[in-house]
Amino acid sequence: MKTLKILNKKFELFIEASEIYEMVEKLAKKLNQDLKGKEVVFLGILNGAFIFAADLIRKIKIDCQVTFVKMASYKGTLTTGSVETLIGIGDELRNKTVVILEDIVDTGLTLENILQQIESHKPAKILVAALLFKPDACVRDIKIDYIGKEIPNDFVIGYGLDYNGFGRNIPEIYKVTTT
Ligand code: IMP
């Protein structure tokens, strides 16, 4: 079993690069079929989705636009709480079919927030493509239209996913070990 250590945590190989390749290929095939004739904007969520988006988009055969946004914590001056706001969104989503590209959906709270903010830009339709989904962790009733793979509720890294900023460059996906 291939293992590695990042900071204080140990990880073991969970999804091989070849399996990730097949997952992305399957998603792209479905998207190419479903989105024919639509005006499509792919919207990658930074930082985690940068590798997934780059690989997926190179397999998309329909005409499309590609853009990226980032969730940023904004501390209000009047409140002590912080609000997560999407930055980088322009007018390009209006009346388009927007396909959100997410690395992983865990509790679903981030995606719920993103969906609400994108809706205010009046797209014709919003679809969600997530490379990984943890159904046992999800606390929100959110429809994910395209899922690469459902995984157990374990912390994973690699292929864009990080642990405290490290591990994004690893080509495979590793999961944390309990030992
Ligand atoms: P959620 O709001 O709990 O669904 O979490 C979504 C975000 O948390 C993802 O976009 C990731 O950035 C991060 N995240 C959730 N689970 C993991 C994981 O297992 N590894 C790395 N990042 C994760």
Side-chain angles (χ1 to χ4, degrees):
M1 173 63 70
K2 274 168 96 176
T3 60
L4 56 82
K5 194 161 181 243
I6 295 183
L7 304 175
N8 59 337
K9 283 198 197 300
K10 279 193 197 154
F11 295 85
E12 63 184 30
L13 184 59
F14 179 47
I15 310 175
E16 299 263 11
S18 57
E19 187 182 341
I20 302 173
Y21 182 92
E22 279 168 23
M23 285 154 56
V24 175
E25 186 117 300
K26 258 193 208 157
L27 289 174
K29 201 171 164 193
K30 193 99 213 324
L31 286 161
N32 281 323
Q33 285 165 359
D34 294 356
L35 301 177
K36 244 180 230 154
K38 307 248 190 308
E39 279 191 79
V40 179
V41 183
F42 286 96
L43 188 83
I45 311 296
L46 295 173
N47 293 332
F50 78 109
I51 295 181
F52 170 46
D55 281 352
L56 182 84
I57 278 153
R58 278 178 289 178
K59 297 179 192 300
I60 296 295
K61 308 290 179 219
I62 55 162
D63 289 341
C64 62
Q65 290 176 299
V66 182
T67 188
F68 287 88
V69 293
K70 189 174 169 109
M71 289 293 266
S73 266
Y74 163 77
K75 278 216 184 328
T77 47
L78 297 175
T79 63
T80 48
S82 69
V83 190
E84 289 271 291
T85 314
L86 267 188
I87 54 170
I89 275 192
D91 283 340
E92 68 271 24
L93 306 187
R94 184 174 284 268
N95 299 328
K96 302 278 172 64
T97 296
V98 176
V99 184
I100 297 173
L101 302 179
E102 253 293 30
D103 50 357
I104 189 164
V105 178
D106 188 334
T107 62
L109 294 170
T110 306
L111 184 57
E112 184 182 60
N113 184 348
I114 289 170
L115 285 167
Q116 281 168 3
Q117 294 191 47
I118 290 174
E119 262 158 27
S120 70
H121 291 266
K122 307 267 184 280
K125 194 177 173 105
I126 307 176
L127 296 166
V128 179
L131 181 72
L132 300 172
F133 175 48
K134 297 183 191 172
D136 296 340
C138 194
V139 295
R140 287 294 192 262
D141 188 17
I142 286 172
K143 187 166 168 275
I144 307 174
D145 304 275
Y146 303 90
I147 298 172
K149 189 181 174 79
E150 290 193 357
I151 64 166
N153 195 3
D154 294 316
F155 189 79
V156 292
I157 52 139
Y159 198 74
L161 290 153
D162 75 305
Y163 170 50
N164 283 355
F166 291 92
R168 295 193 197 276
N169 54 314
I170 296 163
E172 305 88 16
I173 294 172
Y174 281 71
K175 71 173 179 184
V176 76
T177 62
T178 43
T179 53

